[in-house]
């Protein structure tokens, strides 16, 4: 009873920040994202009668008790559905540093959900997989379907899941990630979500959300890159305003983050069109058309403080490898 799955990380254009139900990880608003080709997790799960307890290794290391507990709870969900009691061995590999705002929990829980459910001989639909992944880590539900994805907020366990808006080949856009920090963040997103209500700006953020989702979907439908970019860049600043005004305040940016943001605006004024977005970490995602990737990379690598540049295209969702 063994299966291996690969799942991509995803970058949100309209963000998920704040939950209406923490236990089920039901979000306050719908979100929109794209799966990424170059940052992913590969996870194997084996249920075996010889195991006395669950074994969890991530990137070759035995995980902390807190991390293990989250994985074991997820395995328990799968065991309940499959009506089995066998313990499991979980081996997971990220091809990127975890805990830096590069969505390792999204790719991680999407890969774990698919591998564990297959190993347990469950044949779940994409929707069921997305729901299950969401309970493990909210944004993981968006790494299950392919390409450009919408997570419909819903208001129950069954109505909150992600679906594909467009396949990966729909639109030739890229996410050029400028890595400026590799350290794990101090406040993870699980704790961060819980603070949203303490920001005086959160109500205002929520009140504009539905319109924003509709507008970005329209821009995607029309392949209007400028409109799309304007919406996603403003959205990132909107979310970070809530983060920085919550109590305690969450500052995910470093001076390098801001430097790149300003460069993106400067380059745009010079005619090189791209837009930035940032998750719960210091790294900057630069969204551009395919034909501008090389120019953007060439300018980025000249800046001081950039540790790595990763070029991503729209990717398939979670897949079984073996
Ligand atoms: O799924 P979580 O709990 O890691 O939350 C993700 C939060 C952001 O990355 C900041 C935004 C998003 O929609 O991906």
């Amino acid at each position: 009873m063994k299966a291996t799955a690969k799942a991509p990380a995803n970058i949100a254009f309209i963000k998920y920040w704040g939950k209406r139900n923490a236990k089920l990880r039901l979000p306050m608003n719908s979100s929109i994202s794209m799966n990424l080709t170059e940052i992913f997790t590969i996870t194997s799960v084996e249920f075996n009668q010889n195991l006395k307890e669950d074994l969890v290794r991530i990137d070759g290391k035995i995980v902390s008790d807190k991390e293990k507990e989250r994985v074991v709870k997820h395995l328990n969900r799968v065991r309940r559905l499959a009506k089995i009691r066998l313990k499991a061995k979980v081996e997971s590999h990220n091809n990127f540093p975890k805990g830096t705002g590069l969505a390792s929990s999204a790719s991680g829980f999407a890969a774990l959900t698919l591998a564990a459910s297959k190993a347990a001989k469950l044949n779940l639909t994409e929707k069921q997989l997305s729901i299950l992944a969401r309970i493990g880590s909210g944004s993981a539900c968006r790494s299950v379907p392919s390409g450009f994805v919408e997570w419909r907020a819903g208001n129950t366990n069954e109505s909150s899941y992600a679906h594909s808006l467009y396949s990966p080949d729909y639109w030739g856009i890229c996410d050029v990630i400028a890595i400026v920090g590799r350290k794990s963040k101090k406040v993870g997103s699980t704790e961060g979500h819980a603070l949203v209500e303490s920001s005086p700006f959160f109500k205002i953020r929520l009140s504009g959300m539905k319109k924003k989702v509709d507008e970005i979907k329209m821009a995607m439908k029309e392949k209007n890159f400028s409109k799309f970019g304007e919406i996603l860049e403003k959205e990132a600043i909107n979310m970070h305003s809530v983060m920085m005004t919550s109590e305690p305040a969450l500052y995910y940016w470093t001076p390098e983050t801001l430097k790149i943001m300003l460069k993106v605006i400067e380059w745009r004024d010079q005619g090189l069109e791209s837009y930035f977005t940032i998750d719960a970490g210091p790294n900057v995602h630069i969204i551009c058309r395919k034909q501008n990737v090389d120019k953007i990379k060439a300018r980025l690598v000249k800046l001081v403080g950039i540790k790595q540049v990763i070029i991503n295209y729209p990717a398939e969702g979670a897949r079984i490898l073996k």
Side-chain angles (χ1 to χ4, degrees), residues 36-64:
L36 305 175
T37 47
E38 301 310 310
I39 54 178
F40 52 82
T41 303
I42 294 180
T43 300
S44 306
V45 177
E46 181 179 9
F47 290 102
N48 188 319
Q49 58 189 18
N50 298 325
L51 293 168
K52 299 249 173 329
E53 60 169 325
D54 292 318
L55 299 175
V56 183
R57 289 212 301 192
I58 301 182
D59 295 328
K61 293 192 203 95
I62 302 283
V63 296
S64 68

Side-chain angles (χ1 to χ4, degrees), residues 258-268 299 303:
L258 185 60
K259 186 165 82 184
I260 300 165
M261 291 158 66
L262 296 176
K263 280 287 171 198
V264 167
I265 296 170
E266 185 184 312
W267 298 339
R268 198 155 71 220
R299 290 189 187 196
L303 301 179

Side-chain angles (χ1 to χ4, degrees), residues 60-78:
K61 293 192 203 95
I62 302 283
V63 296
S64 68
D65 289 350
K66 196 176 158 209
E67 277 179 295
K68 182 173 171 183
E69 194 193 326
R70 201 164 160 192
V71 172
V72 169
K73 275 189 179 165
H74 209 57
L75 291 170
N76 288 342
R77 290 177 192 118
V78 173

Side-chain angles (χ1 to χ4, degrees), residues 150-178:
E150 175 182 30
W151 172 10
R152 290 203 194 105
N155 50 17
T156 57
N157 184 44
E158 280 71 36
S159 60
S160 185
Y161 61 95
H163 69 109
S164 178
L165 291 169
Y166 301 104
S167 62
D169 59 3
Y170 171 71
W171 204 7
I173 64 168
C174 307
D175 174 12
V176 180
I177 310 177

Side-chain angles (χ1 to χ4, degrees), residues 12 15-17 105 137-139 142 189-190 193 239 243 279-280:
K15 311 287 191 185
Y16 148 57
W17 196 245
S105 69
S137 174
S139 56
R142 297 191 309 238
S189 52
T190 301
H193 285 286
M239 177 183 73
M243 290 167 160
D279 281 340

Side-chain angles (χ1 to χ4, degrees), residues 218-231:
M218 184 52 79
M220 290 165 87
K221 189 175 175 195
E222 292 169 347
K223 296 189 181 165
N224 183 340
F225 183 69
S226 303
K227 182 88 196 146
F228 171 71
E230 269 169 39
I231 298 171

